[in-house]
Amino acid sequence: MTPVKDIVGAMTAASKEDVALVEKAYELSKKAHEGQTRYSGEPYFVHAAATAKVLAEYGMDATTIAAGLLHDAIEDGRISREEIEKEFGKEILFIVDGVTKLGTHKYRGAERHAESLRRLLVATASDIRVLIVKLADRFHNMQTLEHVPENKRRRIALETLEIYAPIADRLGMGRMKRTLEDLAFPYVDPDAAQHTAEVRKLKTKETEDGLAQVQKTLKQELAKKGLTTFRTDIRMKGLWSLHKKLQRKNDDISLIHDIAALRIIVPTVEDCYTTLGIVHSLYRPLPGEFKDYIAFPKPNGYQSLHTTVVTPEAGIVEIQIRDEEMHRHAQFGIASHMSYKQLGKNIEKLDKGIQKSRFSALSFSWRSLIPSLMKVTKDNDETRGKTTVPLWLAELAEAHADIGGSEEFVEGLKEDFFSHRVFVFTPQGDVIDLPATSTPIDFAYAIHSDLGDHLQGAKVNGKLVSFETNLGNGDVVEIIRKDSAHPSAKWLEIVRTSLARRHIRNALGMTEPTPPSRRHVRRMHKDKS
Ligand code: MN
C-alpha cells in the first residue's frame, strides 16, 4: 500500500494546503473503499493510492491528485457525489465524474472504429485532467491485469493498445504511451511478444558494450568543446513499437537502426546543435536519417534532434539530442505544463468571459487549456522555436488568434474541439461518428443505405424516439427495419448529412440538384459524409 507520504513526496512544489488536500482525500478514499478488494485480493484502496502516486510523479497539481484518489469512490465506494462536492468542491467532483463517465464507453474490438472512440473519449472528458487521471488509472490496472479473469483480459489490453496508448501519445506522454503498450502487448499477442523480446535481447547484448564505448568517446570530445554539464543514457525501443517496425520491415532486424539509441541531454538548444556537429564530425551519418524535431516539432509537441551514425564501436546507432525541458516534455507531455498556479494570472481575465458564456460546464476545460494556449500565441515570434504545448493545441490557438473577445475565442474552440461531431453507438458497440445535430435517419444511412431506405422506427437508449431527435454523444441507437417502410419527402428537412439526403432523393426518384443555400451551409460545417 502506498503510504500518503510517498504520494506527497512525489509531488512537485507542493504547498502546505496542497499536502493537506491530498491527505484529506487519502483518508476519505481509504474510508470509502474499506472492506472492498481487487481481483488480486488486495484492498481496493491500493489502486486509488497507486493511481494518485502516478499522478504526483507526472507533476499534476493537488486537485488532480485528490481526484485521482477519489476516482472510484462514487462508483465502487460508499460516498455520495454530494459528500465529495461538500468536502472537496465542484472542481474535484467534476474530474471524478468525468473519469466515471469515461469508464462507460468500452472498446469492443472493431479497429475501424478506434479513431471514433478515441475522439469520443476526448470529447467526453472535456478536460485534459480527466484524461490524465484515466491514463494513470489504466496504468495501474495494466500492472495488475494478470489477476483479472481471463475472458476480460484481452479486451482490456486491446482497449489499452488501440485507445489509451494513442491518447497518451496525442498528449505527448511518451513514457506513458510506451509503458501502456508494453504492458498490453503480451495479453494481445503472446507469441509475437515473446518473439520480439527475444530479438531485442539478442540485439541488446551486441550493442550495449559498443554503446558504452561510444558514450566514452563522445564525453571526451564534448569536454574539449567546453561541454561538461550534460548527461547521456541508453534507451531501448519499446517492445510493441519494435514489433510494429519489424512487421513493416519483414521481420528483418538488420534494417532497424533504432532498437537502441544513445540519448544526450544538454543544457540549452544551442548546445543541442553544437553536440550534433561534434557527433557528425566523429561519425559518418546515414543519409536521410537526420531529423530536426527542434525546428519542426512532431504534432504531439515532441522535440529532439535525431541522427543515425555509423560507429566503429557499435555499428549503426541512433543518437537523440535534446535539452532538459524537451526531455521532460518527451516523458511527461502535456502533464509537464500543468502547473495551474503560476498561470493563474493569465486566465483571470478570460475566466470572466467564460463564466458568462453558455458553456459554463466546459469552463474547467478552458481554464486548463487557455493559459498554455495563450503562452504559445505569445511566444510565437521567439526564434528559439520552442513549443510549450503539443502542437495540436497550439494549432487550435493559432486558428483562433485573430478572434477578439474571449467569449468568441471559447466558443470557437468548443466548435473545433468538441462540437462538430457526435459519437453514437450501435447496439453491438460500434461507434458511428456523425456531424452534430444528426438524427436517427442519418444514423441509419451511415450504417447502410438499405437500413435507411427501410427505416421504420428508432430507439435511442432503449426508448422509441421521433425521427427529428438530435443524437447525443454516447447514445446507443437501434434501428427498426421493415421491408414495407420507405423514405418520405419530409425527411429531407430533418436530415443533417448529405449522404442521407442523397439516398432519400434517390429513393423518392428526385433528380433536381440540392438548393445552393443548403449546400453552402453544409460546406461551412465541414460535413464529411
Ligand atoms: Mn480505477
Side-chain angles (χ1 to χ4, degrees):
M1 175 111 39
T2 316
V4 69
K5 67 170 172 34
D6 282 13
I7 299 172
V8 169
M11 288 171 73
T12 25
S15 69
K16 252 194 197 135
E17 292 78 34
D18 290 339
V19 173
L21 179 68
V22 169
E23 284 174 347
K24 189 176 156 193
Y26 187 91
E27 289 309 319
L28 184 67
S29 173
K30 197 193 229 168
K31 205 179 97 197
H33 293 299
E34 210 174 352
Q36 295 175 332
T37 49
R38 304 258 294 169
Y39 284 122
S40 60
E42 284 179 309
Y44 196 95
F45 178 64
V46 167
H47 168 64
T51 302
K53 178 136 185 278
V54 172
L55 291 167
E57 284 165 352
Y58 269 76
M60 300 306 290
D61 62 351
T63 305
T64 313
I65 296 168
L69 277 161
L70 297 165
H71 81 272
D72 283 325
I74 294 176
E75 221 192 348
D76 303 330
R78 289 166 235 128
I79 297 267
S80 66
R81 299 180 66 253
E82 290 70 28
E83 191 172 348
I84 292 194
E85 181 167 357
K86 196 178 128 240
E87 296 294 322
F88 295 95
K90 276 199 168 65
E91 200 168 353
I92 287 178
L93 176 64
F94 173 82
I95 299 174
V96 173
D97 269 346
V99 176
T100 309
K101 247 186 272 166
L102 282 189
T104 63
H105 303 305
K106 290 198 166 66
Y107 182 63
R108 292 178 183 86
E111 207 174 322
R112 67 185 187 284
H113 295 304
E115 176 59 21
S116 294
L117 186 55
R118 285 195 287 271
R119 294 176 61 182
L120 169 66
L121 292 186
V122 172
T124 306
S126 80
D127 184 326
I128 298 293
R129 288 172 299 174
V130 172
L131 284 176
I132 293 175
V133 173
K134 185 69 195 174
L135 288 172
D137 165 61
R138 182 50 62 107
F139 182 89
H140 182 250
N141 282 339
M142 288 308 295
Q143 285 174 327
T144 51
L145 192 62
E146 56 178 318
H147 304 293
V148 170
E150 208 178 336
N151 58 349
K152 286 188 178 178
R153 267 182 233 161
R154 201 184 127 83
R155 187 196 70 75
I156 295 172
L158 211 55
E159 183 177 74
T160 302
L161 213 50
E162 302 282 1
I163 308 296
Y164 287 105
I167 288 177
D169 190 37
R170 193 83 191 274
L171 297 176
M173 302 167 81
R175 201 173 80 172
M176 176 71 85
K177 169 191 176 267
R178 204 171 53 242
T179 315
L180 287 177
E181 283 176 347
D182 286 1
L183 285 167
F185 188 17
Y187 294 100
V188 170
D189 192 341
D191 293 343
Q194 204 189 340
H195 171 70
T196 313
E198 276 161 14
V199 167
R200 189 174 74 170
K201 206 169 163 194
L202 270 177
K203 194 78 180 178
T204 311
K205 273 206 180 117
E206 199 177 296
T207 38
E208 243 170 20
D209 298 346
L211 278 178
Q213 267 309 115
V214 173
Q215 226 169 345
K216 215 171 135 193
T217 313
L218 272 172
K219 254 179 200 165
Q220 289 166 353
E221 291 304 309
L222 288 169
K224 282 185 200 161
K225 300 275 176 187
L227 255 175
T228 48
T229 49
F230 62 90
R231 54 203 177 92
T232 57
D233 62 56
I234 293 166
R235 176 215 64 127
M236 297 305 294
K237 197 175 186 62
L239 275 188
W240 174 251
S241 74
L242 178 58
H243 165 67
K244 297 286 262 192
K245 201 151 188 177
L246 277 170
Q247 281 184 321
R248 287 199 297 274
K249 306 274 179 186
N250 288 322
D251 210 29
D252 186 348
I253 189 83
S254 69
L255 294 175
I256 298 177
H257 305 316
D258 60 349
I259 289 188
L262 183 66
R263 198 179 279 149
I264 308 171
I265 299 148
V266 295
T268 68
V269 178
E270 289 75 13
D271 295 335
C272 291
Y273 290 102
T274 307
T275 306
L276 178 74
I278 293 166
V279 169
H280 280 186
S281 62
L282 272 176
Y283 307 113
R284 189 168 56 80
L286 288 186
E289 296 282 324
F290 168 64
K291 291 188 189 78
D292 187 343
Y293 293 121
I294 294 178
F296 304 100
K298 285 191 184 182
N300 66 11
Y302 175 85
Q303 287 188 298
S304 215
L305 298 174
H306 287 194
T307 185
T308 304
V309 296
V310 186
T311 67
E313 300 94 337
I316 295 170
V317 174
E318 180 178 282
I319 296 184
Q320 303 175 348
I321 306 160
R322 55 176 77 145
D323 72 12
E324 290 286 352
E325 203 183 318
M326 295 172 199
H327 185 53
R328 191 172 154 72
H329 184 101
Q331 287 192 297
F332 298 123
I334 195 166
S336 61
H337 305 293
M338 284 277 161
S339 172
Y340 302 96
K341 272 175 199 144
Q342 311 148 239
L343 298 161
K345 287 220 164 66
N346 266 340
I347 40 171
E348 263 167 35
K349 275 182 289 171
L350 281 157
D351 239 12
K352 291 200 178 105
I354 292 161
Q355 276 158 12
K356 274 192 297 175
S357 84
R358 293 181 286 129
F359 305 115
S360 53
L362 286 171
S363 66
F364 292 119
S365 140
W366 310 123
R367 278 160 50 116
S368 59
L369 290 178
I370 285 169
S372 343
L373 295 173
M374 297 299 284
K375 222 172 158 215
V376 173
T377 24
K378 264 204 315 227
D379 290 351
N380 253 355
D381 297 336
E382 283 189 16
T383 46
R384 278 183 92 186
K386 243 188 206 167
T387 318
T388 50
V389 296
L391 202 66
W392 57 282
L393 287 184
E395 279 170 355
L396 260 178
E398 218 159 277
H400 293 275
D402 54 331
I403 298 173
S406 55
E407 209 159 323
E408 293 98 300
F409 180 84
V410 169
E411 286 200 33
L413 271 179
K414 181 179 184 281
E415 273 280 295
D416 267 28
F417 208 54
F418 296 127
S419 79
H420 265 339
R421 317 291 295 178
V422 290
F423 305 89
V424 291
F425 290 94
T426 68
Q428 289 74 40
D430 284 347
V431 185
I432 306 292
D433 171 1
L434 292 165
T437 73
S438 286
T439 65
I441 306 174
D442 295 293
F443 176 85
Y445 279 110
I447 293 178
H448 200 282
S449 59
D450 174 75
L451 206 53
D453 285 345
H454 302 284
L455 170 64
Q456 160 83 8
K459 283 183 181 175
V460 170
N461 305 323
K463 283 198 191 112
L464 272 172
V465 297
S466 79
F467 290 158
E468 287 107 81
T469 307
N470 284 349
L471 301 176
N473 267 331
D475 281 348
V476 178
V477 186
E478 188 185 342
I479 296 299
I480 303 156
R481 188 194 174 282
K482 204 173 172 189
D483 277 338
S484 59
H486 292 292
S488 95
K490 236 187 82 191
W491 289 10
L492 289 171
E493 304 297 316
I494 303 169
V495 294
R496 175 71 180 79
T497 55
S498 46
L499 177 85
R501 196 168 290 119
R502 204 167 60 237
H503 282 299
I504 297 166
R505 304 187 79 84
N506 268 341
L508 294 171
M510 295 164 81
T511 48
E512 78 270 34
T514 318
S517 61
R518 212 172 254 287
R519 267 212 309 261
H520 179 64
V521 168
R522 290 214 311 275
R523 204 174 307 130
M524 278 177 42
H525 286 280
K526 294 180 196 158
D527 185 348
K528 277 201 306 192
S529 331

